[in-house]
């Protein structure tokens, strides 16, 4: 699902613009809108408060200058963020891509934890970055495919052309970079859409921004999403196997396509992953698509 949120529109050039994200269920409210107020009670310490909210002390110190001495003054009201991280002031004109590079964090996690806003706000939450008196330090994040990858199939009956790849893409209409949290696979309307692995159907039905959508939860904390379907053939709660028909590719765009995502479960929610890291046929097709042309054109 594309980031930032936009309507899916096919241009005359064949480029498919980003698909919108479902804010209510599939993209949480911005972390900074979910701060909790806590009044320090007698006997509480910085460490005990951090443990209560499943945070590290440095996160609380970053949000609350009153705690930076290492003490927790009784009666002081402090702010509690939902995750470990820091809030930072962002210069006007900064893009999500630049911000992700500056702090060494996952671009998709950064975008989604800030509520999938198209424009970078003046103050943002940077997940997984530790506050320190000398500045903030960002750990390296790397989520490789599990050793026993449960995603063994392909979401269509045959390997398809990739219209839009996962990751940062240049929108030729606006000349801006947007983040694609999945891939758009070209297929004729009515083509069967297949589950890439065994699992449980977590959602099956119409979504305001994904269109007809099927979400499947797999083992090893993985989830796949199949969007813009013409019809849905499964029900929520149904146990399925790899190759189970989930529905069909929908019409309404030229060319028609399936939007497919892989996500992993984390304390930030379901974070988008590169589908090519789990499904070799998507990775190899994308490599061919991106390969530079050599020699003279005929």
């Amino acid at each position: 699902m594309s980031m930032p949120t936009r309507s899916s529109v096919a241009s005359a050039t064949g480029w498919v613009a980003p698909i919108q994200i479902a804010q209510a269920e599939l993209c949480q409210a911005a972390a900074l809108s979910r701060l909790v107020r806590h009044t320090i009670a007698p006997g509480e310490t910085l460490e005990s408060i951090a443990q209560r909210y499943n945070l590290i002390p440095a996160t609380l110190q970053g949000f609350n200058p009153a705690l930076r001495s290492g003490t927790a003054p009784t009666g002081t009201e402090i702010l509690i963020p939902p995750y470990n991280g820091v809030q930072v002031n962002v210069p006007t004109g900064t893009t999500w891509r630049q911000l992700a590079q500056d702090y060494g964090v996952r671009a998709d996690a950064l975008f989604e934890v800030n509520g999938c806003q198209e424009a970078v706000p003046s103050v943002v939450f940077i997940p997984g970055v530790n506050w320190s008196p000398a500045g903030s330090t960002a750990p390296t994040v790397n989520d490789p495919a599990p050793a026993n990858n449960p995603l063994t199939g392909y979401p269509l009956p045959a390997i398809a052309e990739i219209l839009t790849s996962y990751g940062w893409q240049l929108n030729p209409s606006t000349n801006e970079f947007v983040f694609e949290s999945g891939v758009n696979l070209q297929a004729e309307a009515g083509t069967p859409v297949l589950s890439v692995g065994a699992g449980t159907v977590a959602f099956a039905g119409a979504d305001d921004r994904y269109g007809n959508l099927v979400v499947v939860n797999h083992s090893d904390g993985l989830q796949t999403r199949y969007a813009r379907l013409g019809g849905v053939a499964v029900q929520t709660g149904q146990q399925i196997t790899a190759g189970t028909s989930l529905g069909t590719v929908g019409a309404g765009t030229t060319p028609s396509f399936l939007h497919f995502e892989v996500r992993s479960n984390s304390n930030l929610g379901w974070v988008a992953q590169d589908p090519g890291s789990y499904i070799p046929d998507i990775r190899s097709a994308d490599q061919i698509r991106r390969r530079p042309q050599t020699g003279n054109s005929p």
Side-chain angles (χ1 to χ4, degrees), residues 28-36 63 80-82 87 113-115 117 123 125:
Q28 303 179 53
L32 293 180
S33 72
R34 294 187 280 141
L35 300 179
V36 174
F63 274 83
I80 311 292
Q87 63 177 350
V113 81
N114 283 283
Q117 302 179 66
V123 181
F125 181 83

Side-chain angles (χ1 to χ4, degrees), residues 227-250:
R228 299 299 176 190
L229 303 181
V232 173
V234 291
Q235 297 180 339
T236 300
Q238 182 176 336
Q239 300 293 315
I240 60 173
T241 60
T244 296
S245 178
L246 305 176
T248 57
V249 174

Side-chain angles (χ1 to χ4, degrees), residues 22-44:
Q23 296 282 349
E25 176 185 355
L26 302 169
C27 189
Q28 303 179 53
L32 293 180
S33 72
R34 294 187 280 141
L35 300 179
V36 174
R37 296 184 180 275
H38 175 92
T39 301
I40 300 175
E44 286 189 313

Side-chain angles (χ1 to χ4, degrees), residues 34-58:
R34 294 187 280 141
L35 300 179
V36 174
R37 296 184 180 275
H38 175 92
T39 301
I40 300 175
E44 286 189 313
T45 65
L46 173 61
E47 290 73 19
S48 68
I49 298 171
Q51 185 176 19
R52 173 178 175 178
Y53 290 97
N54 196 31
L55 299 171
I56 62 174

Side-chain angles (χ1 to χ4, degrees), residues 167-278:
W168 289 103
Q169 309 292 326
L170 181 65
N171 181 336
S173 300
T174 64
N175 205 34
E176 295 177 350
F177 280 96
V178 294
F179 195 91
E180 289 280 354
S181 57
V183 294
N184 291 339
L185 303 173
Q186 183 175 348
E188 293 292 331
T191 301
V193 174
L194 311 175
S195 176
V196 298
T200 303
V201 177
F203 180 86
D207 179 85
D208 288 344
R209 296 189 171 96
Y210 272 93
N212 286 331
L213 169 71
V214 173
V215 178
V216 180
N217 288 346
H218 307 274
S219 60
D220 292 297
L222 292 178
Q223 181 185 87
T224 51
R225 298 179 181 180
Y226 312 76
R228 299 299 176 190
L229 303 181
V232 173
V234 291
Q235 297 180 339
T236 300
Q238 182 176 336
Q239 300 293 315
I240 60 173
T241 60
T244 296
S245 178
L246 305 176
T248 57
V249 174
T253 61
T254 304
S256 55
F257 64 92
L258 167 70
H259 179 81
F260 174 72
E261 295 182 7
V262 175
R263 291 179 176 252
S264 64
N265 199 5
S266 74
N267 63 351
L268 299 179
W270 291 102
V271 177
Q273 305 289 321
D274 184 352
S277 297
Y278 297 83

